[in-house]
Every structure is written in structure tokens, then in C-alpha cells.
Amino acid sequence: SPVLWGGGWSILSMASQMLGAPQHEVSQKGAFCSRTEESQPHLSKTDLTARISFFVFLFPWFGLDIGGTLVKLVYFEPKDITAEEEEEEVENLKSIRKYLTSNVAYGSTGIRDVHLELKDLTLCGRKGNLHFIRFPTHDMPAFIQMGSEKHFSSLHTTLCATGGGAYKFEQDFRTMGDLQLCKLDELDCLIKGVLYIDSVGFNGHSECYYFENPTDAERCQKLPFNLENPYPLLLVNIGSGVSILAVYSKENYKRVTGTSLGGGTFFGLCCLLTGCSTFEEALEMASHGDSTKVDKLVRDIYGGDYERFGLPGWAVASSFGNMMSKEKRESVSKEDLAKATLITITNNIGSIARMCALNENINRVVFVGNFLRINTISMRLLAYALDYWSKGQLKALFLEHEGYFGAVGALLELLDSA
Amino acid sequence: MPNLDKWGISLNLSFIFFLLTGGSLTKLAYYSTVQHKVARVRSFDHSGKDIENEPLYEISVQEEITARLHFIKFENTYIETCLDFIKDHLVNTETKVIKATGGGAYKFKDLIEKKLGLKVDKEDVMTCLIKGCNFVLRNIPHEVFAYQKDSDTEFRFQTNHPNIFPYLLVNIGSGVSIVKVETEDKFEWIGGSSIGGGTFWGLGALLTKTKKFDELLQLASKGQHTNVDMLVKDVYGGAYQTLGLSGNLIASSFGKSTTADKGIGPSGTIQLQCFILWQGEVQALFLRHEGYLGAIGAFLKGAEQDNPNQYSWGENYAGSSGLMSTSPDVYPMQRTRSGTFDMLEMDRLERPLVNLPLLKDPSTYIPDTVDLTDDAMARKYWLTCFEEALDGVAKRAAASQPDSIDALQRAEKFRQKYWNKLQTLRQQPFAYGTLTVRSLLDTREHCLNEFNFPDPYSKVKQKENGIALKCFQSVIESLDSLGWEERQFALVKGLLAGNVFDWGAKAVSDVLESEPQFGFEEAKSKLQGRGSSAAVEGPPHKCALIFADNSGIDIILGVFPFVRELLSRGTEVILACNSGPALNDVTYSESLIVTERIAAMDPVIQSALREEKLLLVQTGSSSPCLDLSRLDKGLAVLVRERKTDLVIIEGMGRAIHTNYYAALKCESLKLAVIKNSWLADRLGGKIFSVIFKYEVPCK
């Protein structure tokens, strides 16, 4: 569920690769601990573990993923609270629970994705519902402020957070909210979250799905996919930027590559090109546009297929390539531009993912991240492109909880460390 | 089309020529024959004439036709103008087919066929690209460079490795193609991306008020992408250091433009990331002539019956517009021009060029001693030096053709052109590859040739050769009167004194201009320091290769007595002179006449010539400097045949500006007189100091 954190990490590995640093072969749990120690010299590892184990059974249970664009929050609402417990429950805790579970929107920008709620989940021996909440990262100060007003720190809980924002806002949490963040590795969290959610399923349905006949509007079907034996797996997380991971087992994965052309690029460019102001608006525009007016296709250049290399005429040869000409610039609509932006970003991610899959010899590619939220165009395009360019060798898979896996992972880390 | 009219004067398009039309830019490659003037020397028939008062030989300027490859690129909008131009200049009516490649070949096929009445034959773009790439890698030194961001020397040029394969070719046109090239004919398309130059242009045109590709690049160079892109530090705050990553890496391109307040200023400057990131140990290398590869390849494919690959080619610095910097402060006018109109010219060399077989390691040999791209102080000095000398050179060029009505005008045009080149190089030292004294000298020669000054020093050389020949016998007599050891010393001193006579050096040309009586003895007295005799008596060498420098006293009174001594020791001599004129350097054809005259006076030389123990060859070069990796094939063959075991390189241009550090497989002697006080200073000596470098390769 780290919605939009991918980019930070993509770049990290890119940097380490460029600098010739050893590939970040991550199988380490506890990596976050050493990092936590580094940035909090006053807090020893045993202190931290002690704090966590002491408070772990104390509610509230949160997992936080602070990405470049969106903050993802998962909240476990216990449904098996005994009368005795209820009596002992402090007022603050109760009010937080009420506030979160009785609303579907928080402030002007916070949203609870009710349709994603996982019901009757058993976590650490407790039964309850898992809620999925998101809000823009630029509202983070208001969120911390709210925590402070609701005296969150008096609950003596530990807030587990991942994503770049865990670093960026750590200081604010401490000073404004009197809260100590437990910072967690985002890739660890992502994988943990994916594997967990897939294993518990989506309220009796399959978490994982794929598209059959993705380009055929009539025959296109969303079908469940059984991810029981998930390994090896290529995990493509499309947030603001993109990270691509090769996962060989629960503990063994590596970051293969990434690109800065991700969801943030789509949205950012759309804002510049069409004047839209929300992701939803951008997608809505895109759904009414025709990208072939904007993009230069193989057939625009070759008059048909480029047979020598097996490139079909409909393939994009140069994204936005038609916009070099004045007449064509004047004849396109904002919708066309939005669609072209979406197609460009999606195709690029698909093509990089395909090359990674080829290199790593992995044929299942799972796409996650909030770029895919309500974005059927991209999902179907990814499904089709992967199938077409790999001649049926690769399968594009998707998960219902798109952007929330990092936050779920953070919550699980909290409970695990108990 | 800008500048095209200039060609009407000097060249005729003929033979085959080909057109490449890409997605946005058109690149045209054609073969032309260029008529230009060359200086020739011809021996007089002296029988029964008063030799005393006659010049040594006859100088004539003749028209010569040489083959030249032209490559130009321009935006597609100029295509009709371009076709008109081709039509007007198409001489060879036998041409029925025109080769075209690239996407545009399909698009413009009808237009081309209608306009020119020729059949368009489409060639596969990738095949052409690779052929072209192989061609430039083989023929243009310093073609390949690495780009270093945030460094003093933005561009670091690479020596061409003899074996160019395998390599990965990433072609960024409107889109991007990635090809693995394993041999000349074996290559594989391994991937690509639709996000390429067309995307930059298209998006740039949508997002800014700028609509031209080149202006967009210029705009981009002024922009600050961090205002638009979401960087790692934007996501991680200040804490990215703990993760061991640079905060300046982009996390999400355009990720910031979603927040309205941080948007783009009214001028709308945006920087798009145009670098390729290579991961792992791979080094990203770029080509100076990247844009031309497809056109060159299409041309080569069509010209297969002429087999251009069998020839060697040289970049013509005068006709090529050079590499442009991405720095914002560079001449905006030049930048603007380069996008719409940019050219490369390559002259076909008469004979193939190869490595000197005696080079210790051809793959690491670098001819030039000082890299002026690297050394800012040296660069400044030499550019100023060439600027200051320019008026004199232009004056001399004009004076060399007193009978020509337009000599003054042409000399002025030459002066302008070379001056502009020097200014370009001040701004962009890397424009033509690594900047060196050699490239400055060569550019000057190319510019002189372009304005029909094939040999400004021909008369000076003629006169000096005549004078020196008259002294030859007395010099030999005085040498012969000396004892062995004394004679060796005198020979070396003579060799060095002769080398003082160099019109290329300003300090010398000043003396020569003001003191016409300045002679061999005066030169000897100018030499600084103690001479030390290096000629230790030992077993004679099998064969010596001598690269001669200046004509006149240098070759006749300096080199020839030395040659004569070697011959009498039983050492064969290969005397290598330039194929074409450069400054007052002795040319191969002049050396033939001079040698003939000396042979008439001297029995040692005469019999050596007859018995082929003294051999005259040409270097294949017309440069005052010497690139041992590009020498005439005939010379290389001879060097091998005669088992050459001593190489003597004479003069500043050949032994100091170049080859000072050249490592050879055999013994070598590099000698020169430093005729430049700055250089003397730098090397820790005084003007007219002597460099005498005798090297024995370690066994």
C-alpha cells in the first residue's frame, strides 16, 4: 500500500548501482532496526524492542506509508472488545476509533476506501476489520496536528511508518505530535503486505486477478488468479515513481530497477497540459481522448508495419511525436493529451517491466501502486502489452488493494516485533 | 535553405548521393567532386641553361578534383528547398535511383520521386545506422566521447580502439532503438522506447511557447528541472543521506507540477532529462556525429560498387560545424544554427592510412602531447597565439598569389573563417574532438585550402631550397674535414640548426622577415645550451625512418648530411615527407626534386638512390604534425619490408606537439628546437633550446 513511494527507492538502487555499490540484496528483517538506531542514537535496540513488545497489544494498531504524493493509513478496528476492555479503554482511544470508523471522509482530502475494507480478520489473536485510508502527503502537517489535538501520544503507542515521508516527517512527528516514529524499510513492507493480503484473501474473493481479452471492450473479463505459489515474482510498484522488484521467496528479493516516469509524471504532466487538478479528473479526461492523434505511430512513419523488426503499425514510435507539427498541435483536444500521457507512461512502464522479466527469467508480473487506482485503461493496456510483446510468455497480474501494501506491511512489522 | 548558395560556387554534386529522412530531422549524405586548387612543382629541364639565375623548379597551381562526402542535417520543413537544391546541382544524369532510409523515406517517397524524377530505393534504417557507426568509428579520430557532468572538461574523448566490436548502439531519434552490434554484419535489435527526441520536442512545444527543437534545447539548458521534478530529497526530506543515496536523483519526473504554487514561471522553462543512465560497469559513450550515422550508412550501402570502405577518409574541419555544447552561455546564434542546419564533410584521401607498424601499442597511442581541452592555461595561450599569428598568415596567403585579382578578398575570407573557428573553440574547446595544437594547425590548413590557398609558402620554399642547395657542397666539405666524433657533433648541431628555419613559428618568422640574411651559421649560434653528441659508435642500424620537417636549409643542410652519414655507415634510409603542403614543410614532390639535385652533386646519395638504399616516401598527411596511427600504407609496407630499427622524428610539430610521449618498438630519436618561448618556459628552458630525446625500448 505504499501508494506513491516507489520513486524514492527506484532512485536509491539506481544510485547504488551507478556508484558500483553492491546490489541491495535484501533479505534482512531488522534492517530497519539498525537504521532506526542510527538516526536515534539515544534509543537502543533493546529499548525499542521493549517498548514495542510492551505496547504491541495496546490499541490502536496503525500502519502508515508516507509516499511522495499520498499517505496510506491502515487501521485495525477490533470487533471483539470485551465489556471489561471497553470499560478500561481510555476516552482518547475510543474517540479515535469512532472518528475513523464512522466517517468515510476526513477533512477535505482524507478518504476511506470502504470497498477495500477487510472484514473479520484475525490479527495477533484479535478479530476485527482492516480499514484503508488515504490522504495527500501535503496534508501531512494537518494530520500530525490532528494527532496532537486528539492527544495521540498519551496512548503510548508506537507508530510504524514506511515510505520516504517516514524520514521526511520524523522530526515533525516528534516535535509537533510528541510521537516517536518507528521507521521501516519500504520494500520489506511492500512485500510483506502483498504476501499477507493475498494469503488472507479479499473477504472471500481472490485478491489477485488478471484480464482476459484486455483490448476487447465486449469480451474483456476480470478473472481471479490463484497466487498460492507466488515465487518467483516480478513486483512492479507504480507510485509517484516506479520500483521493480524480483521476489524469489518471502525473505529473498532484490530491486531490479526503477524509473522516475510514474504516476506522478502522469498526473503532473496532465496538470500542465490540460489544467486539470485531480488524479480522477485526469483519468476521466483520458478516458474520452484519442492518443493516436498525439503520438506518432509506426504506421505514421512507415505507412504500415515495420516488418523487418516485427513492429506493428499501431505501435507507438514516438510518444507525443505528432506534437512537433503545428497543425496537429492545434487539432488535438485536452482529452487526447491526457490519454496520450497515460498511454506513454503506461507503455514505458510495461516495456521496462517486460525487459526486467526477460532478464530475470520471471513470467509473472504483479502490478501494484496507486497509479492503478480506478485506472482500468492502464491495467488493460499493461495486460495487453505484456502479452503481445512477450508473445504470450508473460502474464500481468493485479491486486485489489493496489496502493496499500506498504502500509499493511508496516502494521504487520509492528505486530511481528512483539 | 541557409548557406546552401555557398556550394554553388565551389562544387558539383555528382556520382551517387542519398537521402535520409528521419522523423523530424532530415539528413542528407552525398558524394561530390570538389574542384580545388593544388600546388604542383615540376623540375625544369636545365640542360644548357644558366642554372645560377634560374629558380630550382617550376611552381604551378592546378585544378584538382577530389572526392568529398558531405553530410548535412536540417528540419524536415526544409525538405522541398533541399530537393530543389539537389535538382539544380545534380550533374550525373546517369543517377536513376536515390537511396533513402528512415521513417521519412516512406513518407516523402512520392515527393522525392516527383521532384527529382528518380526512383526512391528504401534501405533498412537500422542496417544503415550500424554501417554508418562502423564507418565513423574507423575513420574519425576522437569520434567517441564520454560525458562528464559537473566537470571542467565536459567531454572526454576516447582513442579509437582498433577493434570496435562488440558494442551496444542506443539510437535516440524520434523514438529510441537499442541494438547489439557484434560484427560488421551481425546485429540484433534488443529493445526500444517510444519516449525519445520526438517526445521531448512534442511535449516541449505543448508546454512552452517555443516550437523549434533547437530553441527548446536552449530553453531547457536554462531551466531548472528541480522545480518540476520530484527529487529523492523531496520525498525523504533531509534524511536521504542515511540511505546512502543522492538527494538529487529524480524520484518522480514532473511529480511536482501537480502542486499549482510550485508551477512553472511565465517563460515556461522546463528541463527534460535527456541522459541515458547506464547501469553497472558500462560506460555511456557518445558519438560526435551521432545524427549522421543513418545517412552515412545509406550512402555506404548505395555506394557499394565504389566501395568507400576501401579508402581512408579525413574530417574536413573547415566544412564541419562541430559539436555544440549544452551549456547555456554558449553562443546562442551558433546553437540556433546547429539545429536547423548542421554539416559534416569528409575528404576522401588518395591512399589508405594505417598504423605505423613500429608503434608499441596502437590501442593506447595518443599522438598529441597536450590536451588543450583539459589544460585551460595552455588552451588560452595557444588560442591567443593562433589569433595573433592569423593576420600574418592571411597576409602571406594573399602575397603568395600576387597575380590573382581576388587573393586579398579570399585571404580576408580565410581570416574571418579561421577567426570564427578559434572563437568557437574558445567557447567549446571540444567542438571537433580533443583540442590540440595539431587540430588548430590542421584546421588552419583546411581553411586555407577552402579559400584556394593550397600552398602559401610555395615560393618561399622554392627560394630557400635554391639557396640551401648552393651551400650543400661546402657544408659537406667542412663536415668531411672533421674527425669522427667532431663530425657527429656537427651533424646533430646542423640537424637542429636547420630546424630553426620554420615559418610556422612566430618567433622565427619574425626573425626571417626582418633579417633576410639570417643564415645557417647564425641559426647554429642561436641554439641554446650545450650540445651533447648522442651518436655513440655502435653497430649500424639496419634501416632508419626519418620524418622530415621544413624545406630549405632544414632538409638540405640539416637532414641530408645526416642521411649521408647514416648511408655511409651502411644504414638504409627511408625519408618520409608530407603528401600535401603545410606551412613550409617539405612535401614529397619537393623532396624528389631536391634529392635529385643533391644526387647530382653527391656520389653517396646518388648511389644510395640507385641501389634503393635511400627511399623517398610520402606520409599520407598534409599536417605540420604527425599522427603515427594514420600513415600512408606504402610507408608502412616499406617500414616492415626493410626491417626498420630506428625512427627519427624532427621538428616541433612532429616531435613535441605530437609524439613526444609516443612509445615505439625500436630505437627512436626525437629532436626539435623550441621556437616558442611559452613552450620553452613550460618545459623549463629558453627559446631556441634543444630537445634531443633518444629512446631505447626496454627489452
Side-chain angles (χ1 to χ4, degrees):
Chain A
S1 2
V3 178
L4 296 165
W5 53 262
W9 257 93
S10 4
I11 297 307
L12 176 127
S13 301
M14 208 179 278
S16 67
Q17 278 168 20
M18 279 161 58
L19 296 167
Q23 176 68 31
H24 193 72
E25 190 76 53
V26 199
S27 56
Q28 82 280 38
K29 269 179 77 169
F32 79 92
C33 280
S34 58
R35 278 199 191 129
T36 317
E37 268 177 307
E38 273 165 27
S39 48
Q40 308 169 340
H42 59 280
L43 197 66
S44 83
K45 191 171 175 177
T46 34
D47 283 348
L48 184 71
T49 322
R51 260 185 78 171
I52 292 174
S53 53
F54 178 70
F55 289 112
V56 71
F57 295 107
L58 286 186
F59 293 119
W61 292 352
F62 281 116
L64 196 57
D65 176 6
I66 311 166
T69 313
L70 281 180
V71 181
K72 285 74 62 177
L73 178 72
V74 295
Y75 167 66
F76 183 76
E77 173 206 4
K79 296 297 264 187
D80 54 356
I81 300 176
T82 58
E84 196 181 335
E85 264 181 317
E86 183 134 16
E87 213 160 286
E88 280 178 19
E89 203 174 32
V90 292
E91 209 41 50
N92 285 343
L93 184 58
K94 217 173 279 176
S95 92
I96 287 172
R97 189 172 69 229
K98 284 246 169 65
Y99 175 69
L100 289 176
T101 55
S102 59
N103 290 309
V104 291
Y106 314 96
S108 58
T109 56
I111 287 166
R112 181 153 63 90
D113 282 315
V114 186
H115 67 285
L116 292 179
E117 183 177 331
L118 290 177
K119 301 220 164 83
D120 301 325
L121 208 60
T122 310
L123 256 183
C124 270
R126 302 301 299 256
K127 263 191 178 319
N129 297 340
L130 199 56
H131 298 276
F132 298 87
I133 296 160
R134 62 185 150 89
F135 59 89
T137 304
H138 60 76
D139 286 334
M140 200 62 205
F143 175 77
I144 299 171
Q145 189 62 40
M146 187 182 78
S148 164
E149 282 159 13
K150 292 194 182 290
H151 302 288
F152 198 83
S153 62
S154 68
L155 298 170
H156 301 290
T157 187
T158 300
L159 200 49
C160 277
T162 186
Y167 293 83
K168 189 176 176 181
F169 296 103
E170 187 188 15
Q171 184 72 20
D172 294 345
F173 270 102
R174 201 163 29 219
T175 54
M176 287 168 62
D178 191 26
L179 269 171
Q180 185 66 53
L181 277 194
C182 174
K183 301 193 296 291
L184 297 165
D185 180 272
E186 47 182 308
L187 297 187
D188 281 345
C189 288
L190 172 69
I191 298 207
K192 210 168 177 154
V194 165
L195 296 175
Y196 174 76
I197 298 287
D198 184 67
S199 72
V200 298
F202 184 22
N203 299 328
H205 304 286
S206 172
E207 170 72 13
C208 183
Y209 61 94
Y210 69 100
F211 288 97
E212 206 169 66
N213 308 316
T215 47
D216 189 334
E218 307 258 297
R219 290 163 57 224
C220 177
Q221 250 187 313
K222 182 174 153 183
L223 294 172
F225 186 87
N226 185 350
L227 206 60
E228 219 167 322
N229 299 308
Y231 313 112
L233 183 76
L234 199 73
L235 187 59
V236 182
N237 184 41
I238 316 173
S240 304
V242 181
S243 270
I244 301 181
L245 316 176
V247 188
Y248 299 101
S249 76
K250 205 170 176 174
E251 310 269 280
N252 179 16
Y253 70 88
K254 66 174 182 191
R255 187 180 175 286
V256 184
T257 187
T259 167
S260 65
L261 301 182
T265 317
F266 161 67
F267 183 30
L269 269 180
C270 268
C271 291
L272 292 173
L273 291 171
T274 69
C276 69
S277 53
T278 66
F279 183 71
E280 289 76 5
E281 203 184 328
L283 279 181
E284 175 62 21
M285 282 180 125
S287 68
H288 299 298
D290 176 3
S291 63
T292 63
K293 289 185 183 159
V294 180
D295 291 338
K296 191 166 268 188
L297 307 186
V298 168
R299 67 163 176 257
D300 294 333
I301 300 177
Y302 293 94
D305 297 349
Y306 185 14
E307 279 153 21
R308 196 187 154 96
F309 289 119
L311 294 174
W314 51 260
V316 182
S318 175
S319 298
F320 284 85
N322 278 343
M323 296 298 93
M324 294 183 277
S325 120
K326 188 168 177 282
E327 300 77 56
K328 290 190 173 151
R329 269 202 303 275
E330 282 160 1
S331 72
V332 295
S333 67
K334 289 188 169 183
E335 285 76 14
D336 298 337
L337 291 171
K339 179 73 173 283
T341 313
L342 188 63
I343 299 292
T344 300
I345 299 301
T346 307
N347 268 336
N348 190 54
I349 295 169
S351 138
I352 295 172
R354 182 184 68 88
M355 285 195 256
C356 288
L358 209 67
N359 256 346
E360 300 296 325
N361 203 16
I362 297 175
N363 56 25
R364 280 184 302 193
V365 185
V366 177
F367 292 93
V368 294
N370 267 353
F371 173 64
L372 300 174
R373 193 174 64 81
I374 59 165
N375 187 355
T376 339
I377 300 174
S378 287
M379 286 195 279
R380 281 165 60 173
L381 181 58
L382 285 170
Y384 177 72
L386 232 54
D387 181 73
Y388 179 86
W389 294 108
S390 72
K391 301 190 173 69
Q393 294 301 297
L394 297 177
K395 196 165 201 73
L397 304 172
F398 304 92
L399 299 176
E400 298 284 359
H401 287 83
E402 288 135 3
Y404 282 107
F405 299 104
V408 171
L411 172 67
L412 295 171
E413 287 279 359
L414 167 79
L415 302 176
D416 268 11
S417 57
Chain B
M1 188 159 12
N3 286 8
L4 276 183
D5 48 340
K6 141 196 164 199
W7 300 340
I9 310 161
S10 63
L11 64 90
N12 291 313
L13 281 177
S14 70
F15 295 101
I16 354 135
F17 65 96
F18 304 97
L19 190 75
L20 177 139
T21 33
S24 42
L25 291 171
T26 292
K27 294 113 187 185
L28 172 70
Y30 59 90
Y31 205 30
S32 76
T33 49
V34 188
Q35 210 171 33
H36 64 106
K37 297 210 161 38
V38 285
R40 296 232 188 268
V41 292
R42 207 181 64 195
S43 212
F44 282 126
D45 178 11
H46 286 292
S47 51
K49 280 201 178 158
D50 177 10
I51 297 174
E52 286 297 307
N53 299 317
E54 280 290 313
L56 183 59
Y57 48 80
E58 182 187 35
I59 301 168
S60 62
V61 171
Q62 293 172 7
E63 296 284 324
E64 194 188 69
I65 291 176
T66 50
R68 183 176 285 176
L69 260 174
H70 303 252
F71 305 99
I72 55 175
K73 72 176 173 207
F74 47 86
E75 284 179 21
N76 278 353
T77 35
Y78 293 111
I79 189 140
E80 292 216 29
T81 328
C82 170
L83 290 174
D84 288 336
F85 166 77
I86 293 171
K87 203 175 168 198
D88 292 346
H89 290 79
L90 184 60
V91 182
N92 187 351
T93 48
E94 279 164 41
T95 307
K96 291 277 183 286
V97 174
I98 183 165
K99 296 266 178 192
T101 184
Y106 298 79
K107 199 167 144 192
F108 295 117
K109 184 172 183 283
D110 293 342
L111 181 70
I112 297 167
E113 292 189 340
K114 205 178 91 207
K115 273 246 178 200
L116 300 181
L118 298 173
K119 198 176 157 298
V120 170
D121 198 357
K122 286 173 296 205
E123 286 292 336
D124 175 64
V125 63
M126 211 52 72
T127 315
C128 292
L129 205 64
I130 291 153
K131 264 191 177 297
C133 190
N134 294 339
F135 178 81
V136 294
L137 285 177
R138 268 196 304 265
N139 283 288
I140 306 186
H142 295 144
E143 176 61 29
V144 183
F145 63 88
Y147 180 81
Q148 296 171 305
K149 202 173 182 246
D150 305 326
S151 149
D152 285 349
T153 44
E154 254 186 304
F155 300 90
R156 182 154 295 277
F157 291 92
Q158 317 279 309
T159 329
N160 285 2
H161 198 274
N163 188 12
I164 57 176
F165 302 111
Y167 61 90
L168 201 65
L169 182 66
V170 181
N171 181 48
I172 311 180
S174 298
V176 181
S177 303
I178 306 172
V179 184
K180 182 168 86 179
V181 186
E182 284 170 289
T183 67
E184 189 74 45
D185 302 304
K186 193 177 168 208
F187 53 86
E188 188 189 352
W189 190 82
I190 55 174
S193 164
S194 66
I195 303 183
T199 316
F200 166 68
W201 189 350
L203 265 181
L206 287 169
L207 293 172
T208 70
K209 293 200 177 82
T210 311
K211 306 302 170 205
K212 289 232 160 82
F213 181 76
D214 211 63
E215 290 165 20
L216 277 168
L217 272 183
Q218 205 190 322
L219 194 61
S221 67
K222 288 190 243 157
Q224 188 52 264
H225 72 98
T226 52
N227 291 337
V228 184
D229 288 339
M230 184 184 287
L231 304 187
V232 166
K233 65 181 168 200
D234 296 322
V235 181
Y236 276 79
Y240 51 86
Q241 290 95 340
T242 55
L243 301 169
L245 65 144
S246 160
N248 288 325
L249 291 168
I250 301 173
S252 170
S253 300
F254 285 94
K256 263 195 211 162
S257 38
T258 54
T259 47
D261 55 322
K262 277 188 183 159
I264 296 164
S267 64
T269 57
I270 278 200
Q271 185 174 14
L272 277 169
Q273 202 72 359
C274 295
F275 300 103
I276 331 161
L277 293 177
W278 290 82
Q279 301 182 357
E281 290 158 29
V282 188
Q283 196 184 7
L285 298 170
F286 302 88
L287 299 176
R288 278 201 291 146
H289 301 108
E290 28 85 19
Y292 294 111
L293 303 182
I296 294 174
F299 171 80
L300 293 174
K301 256 202 137 246
E304 256 155 12
Q305 72 264 31
D306 265 18
N307 196 6
N309 263 333
Q310 78 183 357
Y311 297 103
S312 289
W313 300 79
E315 179 178 7
N316 188 312
Y317 292 135
S320 304
S321 42
L323 186 73
M324 292 299 162
S325 170
T326 51
S327 325
D329 49 351
V330 167
Y331 280 17
M333 266 179 49
Q334 288 173 1
R335 279 227 51 93
T336 310
R337 202 196 55 146
S338 80
T340 47
F341 189 83
D342 189 85
M343 52 203 272
L344 161 70
E345 289 182 7
M346 301 205 34
D347 291 331
R348 192 178 82 191
L349 308 173
E350 292 301 306
R351 304 151 68 98
L353 300 180
V354 295
N355 273 319
L356 177 68
L358 295 169
L359 275 181
K360 198 167 189 182
D361 181 6
S363 64
T364 57
Y365 168 74
I366 297 167
D368 306 284
T369 307
V370 181
D371 180 346
L372 300 180
T373 344
D374 239 1
D375 187 336
M377 242 193 24
R379 177 169 73 238
K380 221 173 138 198
Y381 170 78
W382 284 110
L383 285 170
T384 309
C385 192
F386 276 88
E387 275 170 17
E388 283 171 357
L390 182 53
D391 281 346
V393 175
K395 216 179 274 172
R396 176 155 296 278
S400 71
Q401 298 177 3
D403 307 330
S404 162
I405 325 157
D406 65 343
L408 269 174
Q409 275 174 315
R410 281 184 288 118
E412 175 53 24
K413 278 186 186 158
F414 152 75
R415 201 192 62 78
Q416 268 304 334
K417 177 138 194 173
Y418 190 58
W419 177 265
N420 289 341
K421 292 259 168 199
L422 289 174
Q423 301 321 305
T424 306
L425 287 166
R426 262 193 203 279
Q427 303 290 334
Q428 306 150 44
F430 41 78
Y432 297 94
T434 303
L435 181 65
T436 60
V437 174
R438 175 166 63 113
S439 69
L440 285 170
L441 285 164
D442 288 353
T443 308
R444 191 166 71 187
E445 294 299 326
H446 292 171
C447 288
L448 278 168
N449 280 333
E450 184 179 297
F451 294 101
N452 277 327
F453 294 109
D455 191 0
Y457 288 87
S458 56
K459 294 230 169 62
V460 175
K461 290 190 286 183
Q462 179 195 42
K463 190 173 137 214
E464 288 179 355
N465 281 335
I467 294 167
L469 273 176
K470 282 178 194 148
C471 309
F472 181 75
Q473 250 160 337
S474 68
V475 168
I476 291 293
E477 273 161 29
S478 92
L479 281 168
D480 281 350
S481 70
L482 300 171
W484 187 85
E485 200 166 317
E486 253 183 313
R487 189 169 72 241
Q488 307 309 312
F489 182 72
L491 278 168
V492 170
K493 197 163 178 185
L495 199 54
L496 291 163
N499 198 243
V500 170
F501 293 86
D502 182 352
W503 283 89
K506 198 163 174 297
V508 178
S509 59
D510 287 351
V511 173
L512 293 178
E513 298 271 9
S514 58
E515 296 175 47
Q517 298 311 309
F518 188 82
F520 194 43
E521 290 307 316
E522 285 85 348
K524 275 200 248 184
S525 69
K526 277 244 179 199
L527 293 183
Q528 289 283 336
R530 303 147 291 141
S532 69
S533 172
V536 186
E537 202 171 3
H541 292 96
K542 169 80 183 57
C543 173
L545 168 66
I546 303 179
F547 290 100
D549 187 8
N550 305 312
S551 60
I553 293 177
D554 194 356
I555 178 107
I556 294 166
L557 303 183
V559 175
F560 262 100
F562 194 81
V563 167
R564 188 173 168 272
E565 183 74 14
L566 285 169
L567 289 168
S568 14
R569 288 170 52 138
T571 303
E572 291 174 6
V573 175
I574 302 171
L575 185 61
C577 301
N578 264 2
S579 301
L583 294 170
N584 66 328
D585 290 5
V586 60
T587 64
Y588 171 65
S589 38
E590 286 159 1
S591 78
L592 289 177
I593 296 172
V594 164
T595 310
E596 185 190 315
R597 297 300 300 279
I598 291 177
M601 296 185 267
D602 188 296
V604 180
I605 301 290
Q606 190 171 39
S607 68
L609 272 180
R610 198 174 49 232
E611 291 161 26
E612 294 189 345
K613 286 190 171 151
L614 170 60
L615 299 145
L616 300 175
V617 292
Q618 50 182 317
T619 57
S621 154
S622 306
S623 165
C625 295
L626 180 65
D627 180 352
L628 295 176
S629 64
R630 282 170 75 83
L631 287 176
D632 190 89
K633 201 173 176 184
L635 185 155
V637 169
L638 206 56
V639 160
R640 214 178 268 126
E641 267 176 20
R642 296 292 164 123
K643 299 191 170 54
T644 305
D645 52 358
L646 173 67
V647 174
I648 298 168
I649 306 175
E650 192 211 359
M652 280 232 296
R654 292 175 183 77
I656 296 178
H657 293 320
T658 53
N659 298 312
Y660 192 68
Y661 300 115
L664 298 174
K665 284 185 205 156
C666 66
E667 288 172 38
S668 64
L669 176 59
K670 295 160 189 170
L671 41 84
V673 179
I674 310 283
K675 287 153 287 192
N676 172 294
S677 55
W678 181 86
L679 189 63
D681 260 7
R682 205 167 225 236
L683 295 170
K686 286 186 172 151
I687 190 157
F688 297 121
S689 290
V690 164
I691 295 277
F692 190 97
K693 208 176 172 201
Y694 185 69
E695 290 165 307
V696 182
C698 32
K699 290 280 178 284

mmCIF file of all heavy atoms in Angstrom, chain B residues 47 406 580:
data_model
loop_
_atom_site.group_PDB
_atom_site.id
_atom_site.type_symbol
_atom_site.label_atom_id
_atom_site.label_comp_id
_atom_site.label_asym_id
_atom_site.label_seq_id
_atom_site.Cartn_x
_atom_site.Cartn_y
_atom_site.Cartn_z
ATOM 1 N N SER B 47 69.084 21.647 -69.047
ATOM 2 C CA SER B 47 70.188 21.424 -69.970
ATOM 3 C C SER B 47 70.480 22.705 -70.754
ATOM 4 O O SER B 47 69.594 23.303 -71.363
ATOM 5 C CB SER B 47 69.864 20.282 -70.938
ATOM 6 O OG SER B 47 68.605 20.505 -71.517
ATOM 7 N N ASP B 406 41.563 38.312 -56.872
ATOM 8 C CA ASP B 406 40.738 38.224 -55.663
ATOM 9 C C ASP B 406 41.496 37.650 -54.465
ATOM 10 O O ASP B 406 40.900 37.280 -53.472
ATOM 11 C CB ASP B 406 39.480 37.398 -55.949
ATOM 12 C CG ASP B 406 39.813 35.959 -56.275
ATOM 13 O OD1 ASP B 406 40.986 35.684 -56.601
ATOM 14 O OD2 ASP B 406 38.897 35.113 -56.197
ATOM 15 N N GLY B 580 50.957 16.417 -48.830
ATOM 16 C CA GLY B 580 50.472 17.722 -49.279
ATOM 17 C C GLY B 580 51.148 18.822 -48.493
ATOM 18 O O GLY B 580 51.751 18.575 -47.452
#
